[in-house]
Amino acid sequence: MADNILNIDGSVLEGGGQILRISISLSAILKIPVRITNIRANRSKPGLAAQHLKGIQLVADMCGAKLKGANIGSTEIEFVPGKIRGGHYIADTKTAGSISLLLQVALPVALLADDDVTLDLKGGTNAEMAPQIDYMELVFRPLLNKFGGDFRMEILRRGYYPRGGGHVCVTVSPMRALRAASLTYRGDAATVHGYSFAAGTLPLKMAVEMADGAKQSLAGEKVDIRCVKEDRNMAPDNCAGIILHCLLSGGSTLGADALCGRGARAYDAGAKAGAALRDVIVTGAVVDTHAQDQLIVYMTLAEGRSALRVGEVTLHTKTAIYIVETITKIKIDVRPDGQQNIIECTGLGYVNPNMADT
């Protein structure tokens, strides 16, 4: 398909879907053809699952890419990008595959299109092993704003495991360039806000119990959690979960979430989310574990030097750094600073060529 194709080993480090998402996003933006092998080699079922396949196909549609090997179970793909164009795009996992992960792969590309982009994303809105869609709105979006990017989101229908069926509409206006952001000054933690929900046939009591568990774990913090029984028309299936977020006086936002699995105690699920947020607050991090790996791509593309103060550098983040360095050849530094780590780099200063020639 292409003579000068960049080979990427999908089994390194985290060895999962994140390698795909970052590789495909940067391939589309920087117009670097890639071949990804050993896809999801570290998973119990290697190869492309529905949500990974749909994410790749979504970006391929957005940039008119030539795509080879794009089928369920495939362990190797080739992706040769074209020009990123605005427009209306649809991705439907037809499973409970995470809509948040579809957004992760498509959003950097949409921000560098030639015109407005509308993404109709269908699948799971609140899924295990991925940030809940509410996290993307309440925590990730304010962090993206620091880099000058933004999106608008409308949750039209909730979708949960195992049926999925969720529907989220995201609109993105393109930008000429991302700006560097320094997320290193923490400041004080303000009130922790939360959203605790029960859906389907599950009672509101579960949402209240999750909120109680979170408040117990966050004893000593100001906590305001809204408990909701979801409308059956919008969320017909059973699920219960909680999303917590906290604005720091330094301007950053921290978050944590949890779902109440079948047979689990609602109180324990809430306590788990509360403890996760408490741990981030205590460590003095400015960016939480869900967001740190997602921001690596934006740091890479931005003009100037960006920095993140994090707690432990996660395996997902180490993987993101490795893939970014492989594709772009820029250097991302990680250095310890007390109980935290600083992740920093001087970005490419990438200017949107699609917007420039409109």
Side-chain angles (χ1 to χ4, degrees), residues 162-191:
R163 288 175 53 179
H167 182 188
V168 177
C169 182
V170 179
T171 53
V172 183
S173 294
M175 56 194 305
R176 189 168 298 279
L178 289 153
R179 62 172 180 257
S182 180
L183 295 168
T184 56
Y185 173 64
R186 181 179 179 278
D188 298 320
T191 301

CSV table of all heavy atoms in Angstrom, one decimal, residues 162-191:
chain,number,residue,atom,x,y,z
A,162,PRO,N,-24.6,-5.7,29.0
A,162,PRO,CA,-23.9,-6.2,27.8
A,162,PRO,C,-24.5,-5.7,26.5
A,162,PRO,O,-24.0,-6.0,25.4
A,162,PRO,CB,-24.2,-7.7,27.9
A,162,PRO,CG,-25.5,-7.8,28.5
A,162,PRO,CD,-25.7,-6.7,29.5
A,163,ARG,N,-25.7,-5.0,26.5
A,163,ARG,CA,-26.4,-4.7,25.3
A,163,ARG,C,-25.9,-3.5,24.6
A,163,ARG,O,-26.0,-3.3,23.3
A,163,ARG,CB,-27.9,-4.5,25.6
A,163,ARG,CG,-28.6,-5.8,25.9
A,163,ARG,CD,-30.0,-5.6,26.3
A,163,ARG,NE,-30.8,-4.8,25.3
A,163,ARG,CZ,-32.1,-4.5,25.4
A,163,ARG,NH1,-32.7,-4.9,26.5
A,163,ARG,NH2,-32.7,-3.8,24.5
A,164,GLY,N,-25.3,-2.5,25.3
A,164,GLY,CA,-24.9,-1.3,24.7
A,164,GLY,C,-26.1,-0.5,24.2
A,164,GLY,O,-27.0,-0.3,25.0
A,165,GLY,N,-26.0,0.0,23.0
A,165,GLY,CA,-27.2,0.8,22.5
A,165,GLY,C,-27.1,2.3,22.9
A,165,GLY,O,-28.1,3.1,22.7
A,166,GLY,N,-26.0,2.8,23.5
A,166,GLY,CA,-25.9,4.2,23.9
A,166,GLY,C,-25.6,5.0,22.6
A,166,GLY,O,-25.1,4.5,21.6
A,167,HIS,N,-25.9,6.3,22.7
A,167,HIS,CA,-25.8,7.2,21.6
A,167,HIS,C,-25.3,8.5,22.1
A,167,HIS,O,-26.0,9.2,22.9
A,167,HIS,CB,-27.1,7.3,20.8
A,167,HIS,CG,-27.0,8.1,19.6
A,167,HIS,ND1,-28.1,8.5,18.8
A,167,HIS,CD2,-25.9,8.7,18.9
A,167,HIS,CE1,-27.7,9.2,17.8
A,167,HIS,NE2,-26.4,9.4,17.8
A,168,VAL,N,-24.2,9.0,21.7
A,168,VAL,CA,-23.6,10.3,22.1
A,168,VAL,C,-23.2,11.1,20.8
A,168,VAL,O,-22.6,10.5,19.9
A,168,VAL,CB,-22.4,10.1,22.9
A,168,VAL,CG1,-21.7,11.5,23.3
A,168,VAL,CG2,-22.7,9.4,24.2
A,169,CYS,N,-23.7,12.3,20.7
A,169,CYS,CA,-23.3,13.2,19.6
A,169,CYS,C,-22.3,14.2,20.1
A,169,CYS,O,-22.5,14.9,21.0
A,169,CYS,CB,-24.6,13.9,19.1
A,169,CYS,SG,-24.3,14.9,17.6
A,170,VAL,N,-21.2,14.2,19.4
A,170,VAL,CA,-20.1,15.1,19.7
A,170,VAL,C,-19.8,16.1,18.5
A,170,VAL,O,-19.7,15.6,17.4
A,170,VAL,CB,-18.8,14.4,20.1
A,170,VAL,CG1,-17.7,15.3,20.4
A,170,VAL,CG2,-19.1,13.4,21.2
A,171,THR,N,-19.8,17.4,18.7
A,171,THR,CA,-19.4,18.3,17.7
A,171,THR,C,-18.1,19.0,18.0
A,171,THR,O,-17.9,19.4,19.2
A,171,THR,CB,-20.6,19.3,17.5
A,171,THR,OG1,-20.9,20.0,18.7
A,171,THR,CG2,-21.8,18.7,16.9
A,172,VAL,N,-17.3,19.2,17.0
A,172,VAL,CA,-16.0,19.7,17.2
A,172,VAL,C,-15.7,20.8,16.1
A,172,VAL,O,-15.9,20.5,14.9
A,172,VAL,CB,-14.9,18.6,17.0
A,172,VAL,CG1,-13.5,19.2,17.3
A,172,VAL,CG2,-15.2,17.4,18.0
A,173,SER,N,-15.3,21.9,16.5
A,173,SER,CA,-14.8,22.9,15.6
A,173,SER,C,-13.3,22.9,15.5
A,173,SER,O,-12.6,22.8,16.5
A,173,SER,CB,-15.2,24.3,16.0
A,173,SER,OG,-16.6,24.5,16.0
A,174,PRO,N,-12.7,22.8,14.3
A,174,PRO,CA,-11.3,22.7,14.1
A,174,PRO,C,-10.5,23.9,14.6
A,174,PRO,O,-11.1,25.0,14.7
A,174,PRO,CB,-11.1,22.4,12.6
A,174,PRO,CG,-12.3,23.1,12.0
A,174,PRO,CD,-13.4,22.9,13.0
A,175,MET,N,-9.3,23.7,14.8
A,175,MET,CA,-8.4,24.8,15.3
A,175,MET,C,-7.1,24.8,14.5
A,175,MET,O,-6.7,23.8,13.9
A,175,MET,CB,-8.1,24.6,16.8
A,175,MET,CG,-7.5,23.3,17.1
A,175,MET,SD,-7.5,22.9,18.9
A,175,MET,CE,-6.7,24.4,19.6
A,176,ARG,N,-6.5,26.0,14.4
A,176,ARG,CA,-5.2,26.1,13.7
A,176,ARG,C,-4.1,25.4,14.3
A,176,ARG,O,-3.3,24.8,13.6
A,176,ARG,CB,-4.9,27.6,13.5
A,176,ARG,CG,-3.8,27.8,12.5
A,176,ARG,CD,-3.7,29.3,12.1
A,176,ARG,NE,-4.9,29.7,11.4
A,176,ARG,CZ,-5.2,29.5,10.1
A,176,ARG,NH1,-4.3,28.8,9.4
A,176,ARG,NH2,-6.3,30.0,9.5
A,177,ALA,N,-4.0,25.5,15.6
A,177,ALA,CA,-2.9,24.8,16.4
A,177,ALA,C,-3.3,24.7,17.8
A,177,ALA,O,-4.0,25.5,18.4
A,177,ALA,CB,-1.6,25.6,16.2
A,178,LEU,N,-2.7,23.7,18.5
A,178,LEU,CA,-2.9,23.5,19.9
A,178,LEU,C,-1.8,24.3,20.6
A,178,LEU,O,-0.7,24.4,20.1
A,178,LEU,CB,-2.7,22.0,20.3
A,178,LEU,CG,-3.9,21.1,19.9
A,178,LEU,CD1,-3.4,19.7,19.7
A,178,LEU,CD2,-5.0,21.1,20.9
A,179,ARG,N,-2.1,24.8,21.8
A,179,ARG,CA,-1.1,25.6,22.5
A,179,ARG,C,-0.6,24.7,23.7
A,179,ARG,O,-1.3,23.8,24.2
A,179,ARG,CB,-1.7,26.9,23.1
A,179,ARG,CG,-2.9,26.7,24.0
A,179,ARG,CD,-3.3,28.0,24.7
A,179,ARG,NE,-4.4,27.9,25.6
A,179,ARG,CZ,-5.6,28.2,25.4
A,179,ARG,NH1,-5.9,28.7,24.2
A,179,ARG,NH2,-6.6,28.0,26.3
A,180,ALA,N,0.6,25.0,24.1
A,180,ALA,CA,1.2,24.3,25.2
A,180,ALA,C,0.4,24.6,26.5
A,180,ALA,O,-0.1,25.6,26.6
A,180,ALA,CB,2.7,24.6,25.3
A,181,ALA,N,0.4,23.6,27.4
A,181,ALA,CA,-0.2,23.8,28.7
A,181,ALA,C,0.7,23.3,29.8
A,181,ALA,O,1.3,22.2,29.7
A,181,ALA,CB,-1.6,23.0,28.7
A,182,SER,N,0.7,24.0,30.9
A,182,SER,CA,1.5,23.6,32.0
A,182,SER,C,0.5,23.3,33.2
A,182,SER,O,-0.1,24.2,33.7
A,182,SER,CB,2.4,24.7,32.5
A,182,SER,OG,3.2,24.3,33.6
A,183,LEU,N,0.3,22.0,33.4
A,183,LEU,CA,-0.6,21.5,34.5
A,183,LEU,C,0.3,21.0,35.6
A,183,LEU,O,0.3,19.8,35.9
A,183,LEU,CB,-1.5,20.5,33.9
A,183,LEU,CG,-2.5,21.0,32.9
A,183,LEU,CD1,-3.2,19.8,32.1
A,183,LEU,CD2,-3.5,21.9,33.5
A,184,THR,N,0.9,21.9,36.3
A,184,THR,CA,1.9,21.5,37.4
A,184,THR,C,1.6,22.2,38.7
A,184,THR,O,2.0,21.7,39.7
A,184,THR,CB,3.3,21.9,37.0
A,184,THR,OG1,3.4,23.3,36.7
A,184,THR,CG2,3.8,21.1,35.7
A,185,TYR,N,0.8,23.3,38.7
A,185,TYR,CA,0.5,23.9,39.9
A,185,TYR,C,-0.9,23.4,40.4
A,185,TYR,O,-1.9,23.5,39.8
A,185,TYR,CB,0.4,25.5,39.8
A,185,TYR,CG,-0.1,26.2,41.0
A,185,TYR,CD1,0.6,26.1,42.2
A,185,TYR,CD2,-1.3,26.9,41.0
A,185,TYR,CE1,0.1,26.8,43.3
A,185,TYR,CE2,-1.8,27.5,42.1
A,185,TYR,CZ,-1.1,27.4,43.3
A,185,TYR,OH,-1.6,28.1,44.4
A,186,ARG,N,-0.9,22.9,41.6
A,186,ARG,CA,-2.1,22.2,42.1
A,186,ARG,C,-3.0,23.2,42.8
A,186,ARG,O,-4.2,23.2,42.4
A,186,ARG,CB,-1.7,21.1,43.1
A,186,ARG,CG,-2.8,20.3,43.7
A,186,ARG,CD,-2.3,19.3,44.6
A,186,ARG,NE,-3.4,18.5,45.2
A,186,ARG,CZ,-4.1,18.9,46.3
A,186,ARG,NH1,-3.9,20.1,46.8
A,186,ARG,NH2,-5.0,18.1,46.8
A,187,GLY,N,-2.6,24.0,43.7
A,187,GLY,CA,-3.5,24.8,44.5
A,187,GLY,C,-4.3,23.9,45.4
A,187,GLY,O,-3.9,22.7,45.7
A,188,ASP,N,-5.4,24.4,45.9
A,188,ASP,CA,-6.2,23.7,46.9
A,188,ASP,C,-7.4,23.0,46.2
A,188,ASP,O,-7.8,23.4,45.1
A,188,ASP,CB,-6.8,24.6,47.9
A,188,ASP,CG,-5.7,25.3,48.7
A,188,ASP,OD1,-4.7,24.6,49.1
A,188,ASP,OD2,-5.8,26.5,49.0
A,189,ALA,N,-7.8,21.9,46.8
A,189,ALA,CA,-9.0,21.1,46.3
A,189,ALA,C,-10.3,21.8,46.7
A,189,ALA,O,-10.4,22.1,47.9
A,189,ALA,CB,-9.0,19.7,46.8
A,190,ALA,N,-11.1,22.2,45.8
A,190,ALA,CA,-12.4,22.8,46.1
A,190,ALA,C,-13.4,21.6,46.4
A,190,ALA,O,-13.0,20.5,46.6
A,190,ALA,CB,-12.8,23.7,45.0
A,191,THR,N,-14.7,22.0,46.3
A,191,THR,CA,-15.7,21.0,46.6
A,191,THR,C,-15.6,19.8,45.5
A,191,THR,O,-15.5,20.1,44.3
A,191,THR,CB,-17.1,21.6,46.5
A,191,THR,OG1,-17.2,22.6,47.5
A,191,THR,CG2,-18.2,20.6,46.8
